[in-house]
Amino acid sequence: MSKASTDLIHHPYVPPAGFAAPQPGVYKASTVIFPNVAAVRARNWKSKAGYTYGLHGTPTTFMLEERIATLEGGLQCLLVPSGLAAVANVDFALLATGDEVLLPANVYGPSKVLAENELKRWGIGYQLYDPMDPADLRSRIGSRTKLVWVETPGSVTMEFAPLADLVQVCRERGVLTALDNTWGAGLAFNGFEAGCDIVMQALTKYPSGGGDVLMGSVVTRDDELHVRLKFTHMRVGYGVGGNDAEAVLRSLPSMEVRYRAQDQAARQLASFMQGRSEVALLLHPAFEGSPGHAHWQALCGQRDLAAGLFSVVFDERYPTAQVDAFCDSLKLFKIGYSWGGPVSLVVPYDIPAMRPQWPHKGVLVRFSLGLEDPADLMADLEQALQVFAR
Ligand SMILES: *Cc1c(COP(=O)(O)O)cnc(C)c1O
């Protein structure tokens, strides 16, 4: 376990007088009651030193904000209704008509769809850069570039970027960087130590861990930047419910245990799949030969941590229908997006349709590990692989 786990469990929290339990209470309110008119007139809804309105925070959401900031090694945190809303919060706060945002070519898909629609409609341009090539990023940064998103590894194709080099390029050009840290989850590496200005995460994944909450976070280490993000957050009406915040608070103390278990299980199953003749390519950054393995080693090698995700590219002799039949034959692995919950999942992706530059012809399947017994999951893979013998 890391210090983060201890800090998440022994977090400063003062329970109500006479009730000395370490578990936080759940507060829910659409508003608070002011003692008199003078207090309403004196209210400063922009400050989080006090409570003014449910949307702007309750003791429960303030506590979760503090804990997520602790997890990421940051100072300030905003909570939003989904991971995608966290991406939108950053884009809306920092970009204006005429600006441009740069996204890695393997960016979380809906982040690109947002750029292609709302951002484009508002006169904000975007370009994709090669996340494995800092020189390509450098060549694309221009006077209009106001924000660069970084994300590593790509959550489907799993190539691990040279994060510090990418961030260095942005620093040299004075451009803000925002990291989508859903994969690292604040455990595998520290986004701020890597030089990022903003670290967002889909709390939907590992921090929730239950597959039953949608939430996102936007963490910073700079008051001024936080305030810019917070004002947009307030103006667009982003808020999270008390019960959802409580569900994440309840899951945080076990997060590192789950992350480590899912990491171990993923490596065990990835290794098994790598040895199969049906598989042309294993994509998992902790494995030698996987794209960007050396970059993973540099950033996460000391902690030796990776999320419980891997992809395989099946040999091109197997048509899509046969790979689909493999996925359909799995019994414990369910077919579905997302990750970090108790149920193991698979999704096939048509990468050539998504990424014209992709060099492999076979069908890609992404596996996300839940919390089942890895031996049972291995047996499930073995029985489903029989579809390739037919
Ligand atoms: C899931 C995910 C998101 C979005 O999170 P939601 O809560 O599902 O909106 C963003 N980035 C990455 C890398 C993700 O995996």
Side-chain angles (χ1 to χ4, degrees):
M1 292 304 119
S2 67
K3 186 169 181 303
S5 278
T6 309
D7 290 347
L8 286 174
I9 293 164
H10 292 271
H11 200 263
Y13 162 65
V14 183
F19 184 69
Q23 286 73 21
V26 186
Y27 294 89
K28 298 189 284 183
S30 57
T31 190
V32 294
I33 306 297
F34 295 89
N36 51 44
V37 174
V40 173
R41 294 201 199 285
R43 85 200 189 286
N44 177 7
W45 62 271
K46 291 175 181 174
S47 155
K48 289 206 171 183
Y51 304 99
T52 53
Y53 188 63
L55 192 55
H56 303 152
T58 64
T60 310
T61 62
F62 281 13
M63 184 184 310
L64 182 55
E65 285 173 2
E66 286 167 16
R67 290 191 185 182
I68 297 299
T70 298
L71 172 68
E72 299 278 22
L75 295 176
Q76 309 91 6
C77 173
L78 296 165
L79 298 176
V80 290
S82 69
L84 184 54
V87 173
N89 195 147
V90 174
D91 286 346
F92 297 171
L94 303 181
L95 298 168
T97 303
D99 291 346
E100 190 171 78
V101 57
L102 300 183
L103 310 175
N106 56 4
V107 69
Y108 175 69
S111 179
K112 186 169 90 177
V113 175
L114 175 65
E116 278 165 350
N117 290 273
E118 272 65 23
L119 298 190
K120 188 173 161 205
R121 199 143 47 69
W122 299 335
I124 298 162
Y126 86 95
Q127 278 191 64
L128 298 177
Y129 68 89
D130 178 352
M132 304 302 276
D133 183 3
D136 180 65
L137 172 61
R138 183 179 289 115
S139 74
R140 290 176 193 280
I141 295 179
S143 57
R144 294 172 57 203
T145 314
K146 293 292 151 55
L147 175 66
V148 173
W149 277 97
V150 288
E151 177 179 339
T152 192
S155 62
V156 177
T157 43
M158 306 304 289
E159 53 282 89
F160 208 95
L163 185 64
D165 295 343
L166 295 176
V167 172
Q168 182 58 30
V169 165
C170 299
R171 301 223 137 202
E172 282 164 15
R173 305 296 295 271
V175 179
L176 289 172
T177 50
L179 168 70
D180 182 333
N181 201 21
T182 306
W183 180 93
L187 294 172
F189 64 93
N190 182 302
F192 292 107
E193 278 167 19
C196 300
D197 298 295
I198 300 166
V199 177
M200 65 69 51
Q201 197 181 141
L203 304 181
T204 307
K205 309 287 168 52
Y206 289 106
S208 152
D212 52 359
V213 175
L214 286 153
M215 202 180 290
S217 55
V218 181
V219 177
T220 42
R221 258 187 187 179
D222 178 279
D223 256 326
E224 210 176 293
L225 185 55
H226 168 67
V227 167
R228 281 175 78 186
L229 292 159
K230 183 173 80 167
F231 284 177
T232 294
H233 180 272
M234 288 176 150
R235 289 189 292 249
V236 299
Y238 280 156
V240 302
N243 286 345
D244 283 351
E246 186 270 345
V248 178
L249 281 167
R250 192 165 191 263
S251 295
L252 280 180
S254 65
M255 175 177 168
E256 188 171 346
V257 177
R258 289 183 279 105
Y259 193 91
R260 286 176 182 275
Q262 288 171 324
D263 175 10
Q264 286 310 308
R267 291 196 213 195
Q268 207 177 322
L269 269 60
S271 173
F272 166 74
M273 290 300 279
Q274 190 178 33
R276 295 287 306 205
S277 63
E278 297 88 349
V279 170
L281 185 64
L282 168 71
L283 301 165
H284 183 307
F287 281 68
E288 231 165 273
S290 190
H293 169 67
H295 303 141
W296 172 83
Q297 193 75 41
L299 195 64
C300 313
Q302 204 177 350
R303 299 187 190 184
D304 191 23
L305 278 178
L309 288 178
F310 67 92
S311 294
V312 302
V313 177
F314 282 97
D315 192 284
E316 60 185 275
R317 69 181 180 271
Y318 301 115
T320 304
Q322 209 167 4
V323 177
D324 289 357
F326 162 77
C327 295
D328 285 336
S329 304
L330 289 162
K331 296 191 168 72
L332 294 177
F333 279 95
K334 303 298 179 189
I335 298 166
Y337 297 106
S338 202
W339 25 285
V343 179
S344 291
L345 299 166
V346 288
V347 203
Y349 284 92
D350 184 2
I351 304 296
M354 295 159 68
R355 310 244 315 260
Q357 313 295 326
W358 179 250
H360 310 289
K361 292 210 179 73
V363 180
L364 180 146
V365 175
R366 188 190 67 192
F367 296 79
S368 121
L369 273 289
L371 291 166
E372 302 92 338
D373 182 349
D376 291 335
L377 293 173
M378 183 97 79
D380 194 25
L381 290 179
E382 247 169 345
Q383 66 79 21
L385 282 164
Q386 286 171 17
V387 304
F388 294 109
R390 277 176 216 147

